[in-house]
Amino acid sequence: MAGILDTVDQRTQLVGENRLEILMFRLSGRQLFAINVFKVQEVLHLPKLTLIPQRNPVVCGVVNLRGQTLPVIDLSQAIGMRPLTPSDKSTIIVTEYNRSVQAFLVGGVDRILNLSWESILPPPGGAGRAHYLTAITKVDDQIVEIIDVEKVLSEIVPMSSKVSASKLEDPLLEKARGREVLLVDDSGVAMNQLRETMAQLDIRTHSAGDGLKALKLLKLWADSNADVPNKLLMVITDAEMPEMDGYRLTTEIRNDPRLQDLYVVLHTSLSGSFNEAMVKKVGCDDFLSKFQPDKLVDTVRKRLQMLEDQGKI
């Protein structure tokens, strides 16, 4: 399993190409699931598992991996399916989301596949595990369900959108009141956190569930003769989304003379050092890891300061 992942340098070649690599795996049945390879550190057999008291029901315990203690989450149970039984033959996928590292217990890893985001579709509506999906795709005539890991993690450790009182006392933020931003994300958890943070600044929000919907909305405004870069304080976009990712969205914005001056912030759960290089490649103005309301406010303040220095506010 050690050789299943490509190097980071090879994977960065996908940036701006509207493509992604998914790691496919099974849980407690034949259904195939997947997550983005960008978020996977390694795949290995389950090391010695240590139980912990008063743990969340979906947390099997913790493992020590090269001096780092990681929680092991039963991904099957976390999305409402039959729990898995850990053993020394079990497989874990070690991932990094939002600056935290955790391991997911799975039934077995299938393979890595390179796909176009255009072949990734929003999940169907409904109850059950559909609430834990961000997208679906089809591989060899079989549906592959892409898991909303942010939602899984938020149910284990709830995410806060509350901004520190000291941040809100900044007088420059008064100039944010009534301004508009466009939020682009396919995760309901992330979108709600963004909206709630922006509401504390009295900023009006528009939203789109993927990059293609966002681009269509921006072009619609431009076609209506709106000065879009002046209308919006910024665009805050996720990186990985069905149909069009945040990197391609940024590229399309930069290629449209009516939109190219928009301030674009990449807001993602991917690791920071990895994303800084990708941000420069596609021309984003800033990068921010998800679920950091104070830093999101700092980003808004930075943009306001730029506009004030330019005499635009």
Side-chain angles (χ1 to χ4, degrees):
M1 283 186 286
I4 196 167
L5 299 175
D6 292 333
T7 67
V8 166
D9 286 343
Q10 288 173 318
R11 281 182 275 147
T12 55
Q13 300 303 314
L14 301 178
V15 174
E17 302 299 324
N18 208 41
R19 301 190 68 83
L20 81 158
E21 284 182 325
I22 57 173
L23 173 63
M24 297 191 296
F25 54 89
R26 290 182 168 84
L27 295 174
S28 55
R30 294 181 55 82
Q31 174 62 45
L32 279 171
F33 297 90
I35 58 176
N36 192 330
V37 169
F38 278 171
K39 298 179 179 179
V40 178
Q41 291 191 346
E42 58 185 312
V43 178
L44 65 159
H45 288 301
L46 177 67
K48 181 182 178 182
L49 187 68
T50 301
L51 300 181
I52 53 176
Q54 298 178 327
R55 65 185 187 275
N56 185 289
V58 303
V59 176
C60 306
V62 297
V63 295
N64 188 284
L65 197 60
R66 291 182 290 279
Q68 186 175 18
T69 300
L70 305 180
V72 177
I73 298 164
D74 182 343
L75 193 51
S76 182
Q77 185 176 358
I79 65 171
M81 297 175 62
R82 187 174 76 248
L84 299 172
T85 302
S87 73
D88 56 4
K89 295 182 179 180
S90 296
T91 299
I92 58 172
I93 303 174
V94 180
T95 67
E96 181 179 356
Y97 282 81
N98 305 317
R99 309 164 314 283
S100 69
V101 179
Q102 53 281 309
F104 290 106
L105 183 71
V106 299
V109 168
D110 185 84
R111 57 184 153 143
I112 284 176
L113 199 63
N114 184 312
L115 298 170
S116 165
W117 273 112
E118 293 167 352
S119 67
I120 308 295
L121 303 174
R129 69 170 182 261
H131 290 304
Y132 293 94
L133 306 180
T134 58
I136 60 170
T137 191
K138 184 174 283 190
V139 177
D140 298 333
D141 294 324
Q142 185 174 356
I143 295 294
V144 179
E145 300 181 349
I146 300 176
I147 293 178
D148 185 350
V149 178
E150 289 166 5
K151 178 174 176 59
V152 171
L153 294 176
S154 73
E155 292 183 351
I156 298 171
V157 180
M159 307 295 183
S160 173
S161 60
K162 187 172 179 58
V163 179
S164 301
S166 59
K167 293 283 183 186
L168 297 176
E169 292 170 359
D170 189 329
L172 183 59
L173 293 177
E174 287 292 325
K175 296 186 177 183
R177 295 183 185 277
R179 297 299 300 260
E180 300 175 51
V181 300
L182 174 60
L183 310 175
V184 192
D185 205 302
D186 62 330
S187 168
V189 172
M191 185 66 82
N192 287 337
Q193 188 259 344
L194 283 169
R195 286 193 185 114
E196 290 168 7
T197 301
M198 291 296 163
Q200 293 169 74
L201 301 177
D202 289 333
I203 291 177
R204 293 178 57 199
T205 59
H206 306 274
S207 59
D210 61 64
L212 185 59
K213 290 185 178 70
L215 185 63
K216 287 180 177 177
L217 179 58
L218 291 168
K219 288 184 177 291
L220 178 65
W221 286 334
D223 291 342
S224 302
N225 296 319
D227 181 355
V228 183
N230 187 55
K231 171 183 174 66
L232 296 177
L233 182 64
M234 62 179 63
V235 175
I236 303 176
T237 180
D238 187 20
E240 51 171 345
M241 295 176 288
E243 299 196 275
M244 180 183 289
D245 65 21
Y247 307 115
R248 174 54 66 89
L249 170 62
T250 305
T251 299
E252 295 292 335
I253 287 172
R254 297 297 178 235
N255 288 338
D256 189 325
R258 305 168 302 171
L259 307 174
Q260 62 185 8
D261 292 331
L262 276 166
Y263 193 85
V264 181
V265 177
L266 191 70
H267 185 242
T268 172
S269 54
L270 298 174
S271 63
S273 57
F274 187 31
N275 258 286
E276 286 167 7
M278 296 193 287
V279 165
K280 292 178 182 177
K281 180 175 178 180
V282 299
C284 291
D285 294 288
D286 210 341
F287 162 76
L288 178 67
S289 293
K290 285 186 176 180
F291 306 113
Q292 299 184 90
D294 280 3
K295 290 195 175 182
L296 181 54
V297 171
D298 287 342
T299 301
V300 171
R301 190 196 186 284
K302 177 181 175 182
R303 176 58 175 156
L304 290 169
Q305 187 66 64
M306 290 174 59
L307 293 173
E308 184 175 68
D309 292 345
Q310 295 166 4
K312 295 182 178 179
I313 58 172

